[in-house]
C-alpha cells in the first residue's frame, strides 16, 4: 500500500492490523482530552507498528500520519498472533525490533539532553537525514512538532531556524 504525505494510516483508539513500514516516515500524534495534540513518535523504515501490539492486540495509541510518501505492508493481526504461539524465531525478531526502537529512543534522549537548544535542533536534523532527505525539517514537521521532539517552545524553534537560514545566506 502507498500512503502519501499527510494521509492517515490509522486513528487513535481504533483497532486493526499491524503495519510494516517499508519506506518513508510516519509520525504518531496523540490527541488528549483537552484537544491538545502531541507528537509522540516518529516511525522509520523497517519498523512494524504499533509497537505496543507486537505481542498482543491493543487499540492504536495514537494517529499515524505520513510525513512523506510511504510504502506500507499490511499485516493481518490474527495471523500474526497465531504465528507467535509456536514460532520462537518470530518472537526473537520482535524482541530485536523493540531493541532497535529502544536504541533509537536513546538517541532521541541524547538529543534532548544537549544543553544548547541549537545543538538539539542540529542533532534532530542530522538524525532525520539518516532516514529521509528533506531540505528543511519544516518540510515534514511543524515548528510545534519540532519543539515537542526536542523539548523547546515553538518560538525558540522559530528563532533557531531563522538563525540557520541567515547563516546559510552569509
Amino acid at each position: 500500500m502507498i500512503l502519501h504525505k499527510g494521509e492517515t494510516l490509522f486513528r487513535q483508539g481504533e483497532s486493526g492490523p499491524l503495519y510494516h513500514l517499508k519506506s518513508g516516515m510516519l509520525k504518531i500524534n496523540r490527541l488528549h482530552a483537552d484537544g491538545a495534540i502531541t507528537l509522540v513518535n516518529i516511525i522509520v523504515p523497517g519498523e512494524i507498528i504499533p509497537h505496543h501490539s507486537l505481542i498482543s492486540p491493543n487499540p492504536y495509541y495514537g494517529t499515524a500520519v505520513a510525513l512523506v510518501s510511504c510504502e506500507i505492508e499490511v499485516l493481518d493481526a490474527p495471523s500474526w498472533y497465531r504465528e507467535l504461539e509456536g514460532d520462537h524465531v518470530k518472537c526473537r525478531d520482535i524482541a530485536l525490533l523493540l531493541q532497535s526502537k529502544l536504541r533509537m529512543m536513546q538517541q532521541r534522549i541524547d538529543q534532548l539532553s544537549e544543553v544548547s537548544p541549537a545543538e538539539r535542533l542540529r542533532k534532530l536534523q542530522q538524525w532525520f537525514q539518516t532516514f529521509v532527505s528533506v531540505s528543511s525539517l519544516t518540510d515534514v514537521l511543524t515548528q510545534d512538532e519540532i519543539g515537542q521532539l526536542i523539548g523547546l517552545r515553538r518560538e525558540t524553534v522559530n528563532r533557531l531556524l531563522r538563525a540557520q537560514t541567515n547563516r546559510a545566506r552569509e
Side-chain angles (χ1 to χ4, degrees), residues 36-146:
I37 296 175
T38 304
L39 176 61
V40 293
N41 205 352
I42 300 290
I43 308 302
V44 299
E47 291 191 63
I48 296 175
I49 58 169
H51 300 112
H52 68 278
S53 294
L54 292 176
I55 304 294
S56 61
N58 241 335
Y60 300 133
Y61 178 76
T63 299
V65 178
L67 290 174
V68 295
S69 290
C70 300
E71 181 183 355
I72 299 167
E73 178 185 4
V74 180
L75 306 173
D76 179 63
S79 298
W80 175 271
Y81 298 122
R82 236 185 347 269
E83 289 174 23
L84 284 180
E85 292 299 320
D87 190 342
H88 299 290
V89 172
K90 190 168 189 169
C91 289
R92 183 176 188 283
D93 289 345
I94 291 171
L96 290 171
L97 281 170
L98 292 173
Q99 173 181 276
S100 172
K101 189 61 179 184
L102 283 173
R103 287 181 177 158
M104 183 188 311
M105 296 311 289
Q106 287 172 324
Q107 289 176 330
R108 297 273 326 287
I109 290 168
D110 283 346
Q111 292 167 5
L112 286 170
S113 63
E114 282 293 333
V115 175
S116 160
E119 188 60 15
R120 287 185 199 177
L121 178 60
R122 189 193 67 73
K123 280 191 168 184
L124 178 65
Q125 290 167 322
Q126 185 178 31
W127 178 82
F128 243 85
Q129 290 297 329
T130 63
F131 298 104
V132 62
S133 181
V134 292
S135 59
S136 171
L137 274 183
T138 55
D139 290 346
V140 292
L141 297 173
T142 66
Q143 290 182 2
D144 228 9
E145 291 170 332
I146 294 167

